[in-house]
Amino acid sequence: MKWFILAIPVLMILACQPENHKTALSEGGADPHSYANAAAAFVKHLDLDIAVDFEQQQIKGKASWTIDNSAGATELVFDDSKLNIEKVSLGADESSTTFSFGQEKEFIGKALKVAISADTRQVNIYYTTDKQASALQWLTPRQTAGKKHPYLFTQSESIAARSWIPCQDSPGIRFTYNARVRVPKELLALMSAENPTVKNDSGVYHFKQVHAIPSYLLALAVGDITFKAVDSRTGVYAEPSVLQKAVWEFADMGKMVTAAEKLYGPYRWGRYDLLVLPPSFPFGGMENPNLTFITPTIIAGDRSLVSIICHELAHSWSGNLVTNATWNDFWLNEGFTNYFERRIDEELYGKHEADMQAVFARHALDDAISDMGAGSKDTHLKTDYSGRNPDEGTNDIAYEKGYFFLRGIEAAVGREKFDAFLRSYFDAHAFQSLTTEQFLDYLNKNLIKGDGELEQKINVKAWVYGPGIPANIVAVGSERFKVIDGLLGRWRKTGQLTGLRKEIVSSNEKRYFISQLPADLTATEMSELDKEFHFTASNNTDVQLGWYTLAIRHHYTAADQRIRSYLIENGRMWHIIPLYKALLKTPEGTKTAKEIYKIARGNYHPMTYQAIDKLLK
Ligand code: BES
Ligand code: ZN
């Protein structure tokens, strides 16, 4: 009985803590991509006070960190990439202290070490950002839809937050934040927090993120931005000329949130809004809390690419609520999110839709593994990217091998049981960061429960710590795609294409059809296909990516102009890099790639051009 009586006050204290800031890392784990010594002292809250200067292309201000120093450390270590640190002081009274830097390393930057004392509770850092800050893209008016005002946005994931705010830049360390941001009066500022919906006359905006988040979810956008509600808790921010189209395209947002809640419990962040960025945005979407950032290139005019919103929304549970503790656990973010995304898809758009996504997932996984080599350690779910840029780990191992691992567990225990497990997993770890090992521990205790047969069936070790594709991967298939296989076969036999466009209609169907076209296509066949389907002129970026890759491979020059403008106008990294790679396979292609890149590079985000610089050098 005694332990029970003793446990009551402890449980009461735990229950009263609003959100648990302690993490795998503050308890002694290690993040190879951060200098922060969280075991000694770690941050809990940020008060940010910054001004955005478009002339200097610089953010200037002060980051005041409230810290937990219960261990009595004498040094607090932050991550810093190319920041200019002007002054550091301690406490509300700003008493002076000293600071020093560690050695600068490629992509991870350097340690900023601040001398503190056992009773230090606040550290204030005055700084400015560098022109080369890897998280920041400063757009000229010409690079926006409206062409009148400049625009700034951040992209912090994976380890770029340290280039615009001095922080402990590890996903295992969480903090709440308040911010005051000064911008030119004609612009609106937005963050990954509670947001304003209209501009004010002062150009000063206040933000509050009441939930503890990791640094990679810090985000800011500044531009000529307007807002329109979709329903009572969802809405869209975009430049004025894009807003109406975007609101129409994303009309299902509210339904997506409701479907997600039905699956895995309440949406805990308050509002869920989208910000449609200019086309240089380097991703399809980025799950910044309260405000998903998305590329305008998914506005196809027919709602065909909205599953990206399901994906970013799903991160409000997998990723933002329960976070990978280090980038070596990245599959916990993206594998879970792909699984969750497709469950929302299925709920809203039917099983045939989710089935098609699953087939694409299998293709993507097979491609990733054949690129990396089936025996490569990088094909384990638990990865080791220490000494390398964690962005190299953002591949289909995390996304699709992670997805198939979860599909396998679902198949082994049944959907009902797996859903209950996932829901309890999110609840039990809300606002915490987890390592792969902590997830596996939870899986063992709550689902496998010592059942040896079940453990074998799921095959955990092979999936998480083994290479390639384990034998028990679930088989996937799509009825619609089988029909397309038949149509393809018929065409190859008869040469008869006419009418096919009436049978291959949706974006997924076209994408599949293109992916299954034979390797020995002739130029005549390419132009016959184009006549039937108008692929070259398509505005659907999934179709464009597939078709343009073929066009390059088969020297189908009728697509040259469209490929060129696609590469110049679209900055979505994972939708343009494959095309540059395809071009680089031949000497003429290389010449074309270099010539296009000369014009396009200025439109790309630092992340994007750094990746393409490497390819083209
Ligand atoms: N969080 C990722 C984007 C990301 C990953 C940024 C790693 C930086 C480093 C986001 O949720 C994502 O996965 N976006 C995809 C969406 C797709 C899988 C539906 C994208 O941008 O294509
Ligand atoms: Zn994602």
Side-chain angles (χ1 to χ4, degrees), residues 155 157-158 283-285 287 311-312 315 334 394 399 572 574:
Q155 169 57 43
E157 192 180 13
S158 310
F283 290 96
E287 65 271 27
H311 179 96
E312 305 312 333
H315 274 306
E334 297 298 345
T394 59
Y399 282 84
R572 184 177 173 188
W574 298 337

Side-chain angles (χ1 to χ4, degrees), residues 377-559:
K377 279 198 161 169
D378 292 344
T379 68
H380 300 190
L381 281 180
K382 172 84 186 196
T383 54
D384 182 6
Y385 280 90
S386 42
R388 291 184 281 170
N389 190 333
D391 289 345
E392 284 180 37
T394 59
N395 55 44
D396 280 315
I397 299 305
Y399 282 84
E400 305 300 10
K401 188 175 175 181
Y403 164 73
F404 276 105
F405 177 41
L406 299 185
R407 282 287 305 264
I409 305 177
E410 178 200 350
V413 300
R415 187 171 266 194
E416 207 179 313
K417 229 173 158 181
F418 189 50
D419 279 350
F421 167 78
L422 282 180
R423 183 167 174 160
S424 74
Y425 167 69
F426 291 131
D427 283 343
H429 303 98
F431 303 107
Q432 293 176 31
S433 302
L434 256 78
T435 61
T436 298
E437 289 65 33
Q438 287 170 306
F439 165 71
L440 293 183
D441 193 46
Y442 190 80
L443 179 73
N444 283 327
K445 288 199 177 108
N446 296 279
L447 201 65
I448 298 179
K449 297 180 183 161
D451 179 342
E453 209 174 301
L454 179 59
E455 191 177 1
Q456 266 201 330
K457 206 165 162 194
I458 296 176
N459 205 7
V460 175
K461 285 228 168 71
W463 280 91
V464 179
Y465 299 108
I469 302 181
N472 69 321
I473 188 165
V474 296
V476 293
S478 148
E479 289 307 316
R480 281 301 306 154
F481 288 174
K482 277 188 201 135
V483 173
I484 294 174
D485 290 338
L487 295 171
L488 255 167
R490 196 186 74 194
W491 167 55
R492 289 301 270 178
K493 260 199 230 127
T494 65
Q496 192 48 255
L497 262 181
T498 327
L500 228 53
R501 72 161 170 268
K502 296 212 177 68
E503 301 183 67
I504 299 167
V505 179
S506 74
S507 150
N508 281 337
E509 288 165 356
K510 288 181 189 159
R511 190 178 149 199
Y512 179 75
F513 178 72
I514 291 168
S515 77
Q516 297 308 105
L517 287 167
D520 60 355
L521 276 183
T522 64
T524 324
E525 285 173 319
M526 285 291 289
S527 64
E528 279 170 8
L529 285 164
D530 215 3
K531 220 184 261 153
E532 176 68 14
F533 289 99
H534 306 293
F535 287 143
T536 297
S538 170
N539 282 319
N540 180 303
T541 58
D542 279 354
V543 170
Q544 285 173 289
L545 174 59
W547 180 250
Y548 296 163
T549 310
L550 280 190
I552 293 167
R553 192 181 301 151
H554 296 289
H555 311 287
Y556 177 59
T557 51

Side-chain angles (χ1 to χ4, degrees), residues 367-368 371-372 391-392 394-396 545 548-550 552-553 555 563 566-567 573-594 596-597 604 608 610-616:
D367 288 350
D371 276 359
M372 297 162 84
D391 289 345
E392 284 180 37
T394 59
N395 55 44
D396 280 315
L545 174 59
Y548 296 163
T549 310
L550 280 190
I552 293 167
R553 192 181 301 151
H555 311 287
I563 293 175
Y566 176 90
L567 288 174
M573 219 168 34
W574 298 337
H575 266 54
I576 57 177
I577 287 176
L579 290 183
Y580 280 106
K581 283 188 174 160
L583 283 168
L584 289 176
K585 287 201 171 122
T586 64
E588 325 87 85
T590 305
K591 220 175 111 213
T592 309
K594 287 193 170 150
I596 294 175
Y597 191 50
Y604 297 158
T608 314
Q610 277 156 22
I612 302 176
D613 282 353
K614 264 196 217 141
L615 287 177
L616 287 184

Side-chain angles (χ1 to χ4, degrees), residues 267-278:
Y267 177 77
R268 303 191 194 218
W269 301 85
R271 292 195 56 84
Y272 181 69
D273 295 314
L274 296 179
L275 170 64
V276 182
L277 284 116

Side-chain angles (χ1 to χ4, degrees), residues 320-361:
N320 299 3
L321 189 61
V322 182
T323 309
N324 51 212
T326 77
W327 297 114
N328 287 331
D329 307 295
F330 185 55
W331 76 277
L332 290 180
N333 275 18
E334 297 298 345
F336 276 71
T337 297
N338 264 2
Y339 176 83
F340 194 169
E341 168 198 341
R342 288 161 191 158
R343 292 296 303 277
I344 303 172
D345 268 343
E346 180 172 335
E347 204 64 40
L348 292 184
Y349 308 113
K351 186 167 181 303
H352 69 282
E353 183 66 34
D355 284 347
M356 292 194 265
Q357 299 286 7
V359 172
F360 290 136

